[in-house]
Amino acid sequence: MMEERPNSYRRSFVNVITTVVISLILLTLLALRNYSTGRPIRIEQLPSPRSHQLRVDGTVQLGSSTTSLRLTGGQSAANVTLSLTTAIGEKYPANVKKDQPSANITKRTKEYYRGLTCPRDNPRPGKNLPKMAIVSFPRAGNGWTRQLIQYATGMYAGSHGWQTLRKRHPNTRAFPATGDDVDNGRVVIIKTHGGPTPELSNEVVLSIRNPYKSFVSDVYKRVFLRRKYSRKEMLDFFKSDGWVNEVTEMMESWTSTATHWIAESKRTLVVSNERLFENTEFELARILDFIHHPTSKKKIQCAVETYYPVASAARFNIDPYTDELRIMMDSSIAKVNRTLKDNNLSTLPTYPPISYY
């Protein structure tokens, strides 16, 4: 009996060593996959005179992803546990799920990012990039979202309908590739407000904003500014049949944009403009993960610092929506939410009532 205890220890130790070796092989293969290593793997014996306990800690850098391993073993193989976790950059997106929106948190202030040292936004053309669309109804934050993506990836963001844009304004300061041919594989994301097309339906970021806000903003830009309305003319318009007709048409377009792209897209990420505004870092990490360009936490924070979201002020201090319009709009919002739920996509946040716009 006295000779069995050393043999038992020896067998346990061999079991632990075997598991350690297998784990090290796994880490080595992961490292070789992208030819880049992080912290060296460390093996140490825990201070325990009666048990041969080992712990393995290792980190492997996989491009922009970090894989961490911890293995702890006791006297028998049954006590060996292996923990393998992956995070993007500095823990991004360790808690990100592509089909799960961010939780409600307090929005970080501009001062939070002031200590960062960030390079200026200077995107470059990509190479052989697949076509990915960012789709939204107008005035839903599409431009701001593309600025965040463009900064975080360092690559051009393009636009559907580039042929027309090339004639009007081929290059802009915000988007140098506005007039670029999106078929050349140089842009990381392609903006569109139109319906689904076969070439853009493989992978789609669907950006959705509260329609109550989008419609007022869209009419202000498309009608009021273009026709140079006075303030009195703007307020009178909200009381006219023209406003009712506009809302009816916009609601149909807002609904069909969401439902048609959901139906036609092979892979979809739904991004709520309100959630992106409230938790920009987290939501941007989800987007980057979805489009296969995850990056470091600092890069994401620099993107947020450079294009920090600013809430638009109320322009009219009135509520232009009648009860009849609200019933119609709420019904359409519910329809889009049902479509999202039926397709296992994240539903929209609850839009609180707004007393003035």
Side-chain angles (χ1 to χ4, degrees), residues 15-29:
N15 289 336
V16 172
I17 290 297
T18 302
T19 309
V20 169
V21 171
I22 294 173
S23 303
L24 294 181
I25 292 173
L26 172 63
L27 283 173
T28 302
L29 291 174

Side-chain angles (χ1 to χ4, degrees), residues 8-222:
S8 176
Y9 282 142
R10 191 176 297 110
R11 285 194 299 270
S12 299
F13 185 73
V14 170
N15 289 336
V16 172
I17 290 297
T18 302
T19 309
V20 169
V21 171
I22 294 173
S23 303
L24 294 181
I25 292 173
L26 172 63
L27 283 173
T28 302
L29 291 174
L30 288 172
L32 290 176
R33 179 182 174 185
N34 280 12
Y35 306 97
S36 176
T37 57
R39 289 196 309 269
I41 297 168
R42 182 177 69 254
I43 304 177
E44 61 185 54
Q45 182 172 348
L46 300 182
S48 176
R50 292 194 175 186
S51 66
H52 295 283
Q53 286 190 309
L54 293 179
R55 182 173 66 210
V56 178
D57 289 305
T59 300
V60 176
Q61 188 71 26
L62 303 176
S64 56
S65 300
T66 301
T67 299
S68 302
L69 176 143
R70 168 161 291 189
L71 180 146
T72 304
Q75 292 185 8
S76 65
N79 293 331
V80 175
T81 55
L82 175 65
S83 174
L84 186 65
T85 58
T86 300
I88 301 301
E90 301 172 58
K91 301 182 180 179
Y92 263 93
N95 57 344
V96 170
K97 294 182 179 179
K98 290 186 283 292
D99 59 347
Q100 177 178 320
S102 57
N104 294 324
I105 66 165
T106 303
K107 184 172 176 291
R108 285 176 169 170
T109 63
K110 179 73 172 176
E111 287 69 26
Y112 176 86
Y113 299 100
R114 290 197 186 280
L116 292 174
T117 302
C118 299
R120 66 187 180 91
D121 190 6
N122 188 27
R124 292 287 185 265
K127 186 177 180 181
N128 299 324
L129 296 173
K131 286 186 177 180
M132 290 195 179
I134 178 166
V135 182
S136 72
F137 182 83
R139 313 303 294 167
N142 193 311
W144 171 52
T145 308
R146 281 183 293 134
Q147 285 180 317
L148 292 170
I149 295 171
Q150 187 173 252
Y151 186 102
T153 62
M155 290 180 283
Y156 286 161
S159 295
H160 190 58
W162 57 271
Q163 299 93 332
T164 303
L165 294 172
R166 172 177 285 180
K167 297 176 182 178
R168 286 165 35 190
H169 39 75
N171 295 293
T172 67
R173 184 176 180 180
F175 300 107
T178 296
D180 271 22
D181 184 347
V182 297
D183 293 326
N184 59 19
R186 287 157 41 101
V187 296
V188 69
I189 199 85
I190 302 169
K191 162 199 170 183
T192 181
H193 293 313
T197 58
E199 67 270 17
L200 290 180
S201 297
N202 287 328
E203 295 180 296
V204 174
V205 177
L206 178 60
S207 176
I208 303 179
R209 185 188 181 194
N210 182 347
Y212 284 100
K213 291 186 176 181
S214 287
F215 294 174
V216 173
S217 180
D218 187 44
V219 166
Y220 179 80
K221 179 181 179 181
R222 180 171 48 83

Side-chain angles (χ1 to χ4, degrees), residues 263-336:
E264 297 295 329
S265 302
K266 296 178 181 178
R267 186 167 169 262
T268 307
L269 176 72
V270 178
V271 177
S272 159
N273 179 264
E274 288 71 29
R275 292 189 179 116
L276 181 63
F277 184 88
E278 290 298 326
N279 195 351
T280 312
E281 283 185 38
F282 187 97
E283 293 296 307
L284 179 56
R286 290 178 66 226
I287 295 171
L288 297 173
D289 185 53
F290 178 82
I291 66 174
H292 314 298
H293 289 283
T295 189
S296 68
K297 183 175 182 180
K298 182 180 179 181
K299 190 77 173 182
I300 290 174
Q301 289 184 334
C302 279
V304 177
E305 191 275 336
T306 304
Y307 296 108
Y308 188 79
V310 179
S312 58
R315 293 187 174 98
F316 307 108
N317 295 320
I318 63 167
D319 181 0
Y321 297 102
T322 63
D323 291 341
E324 291 78 10
L325 289 177
R326 286 185 175 277
I327 291 173
M328 177 194 68
M329 293 177 67
D330 290 345
S331 175
S332 295
I333 293 171
K335 178 181 178 180
V336 170

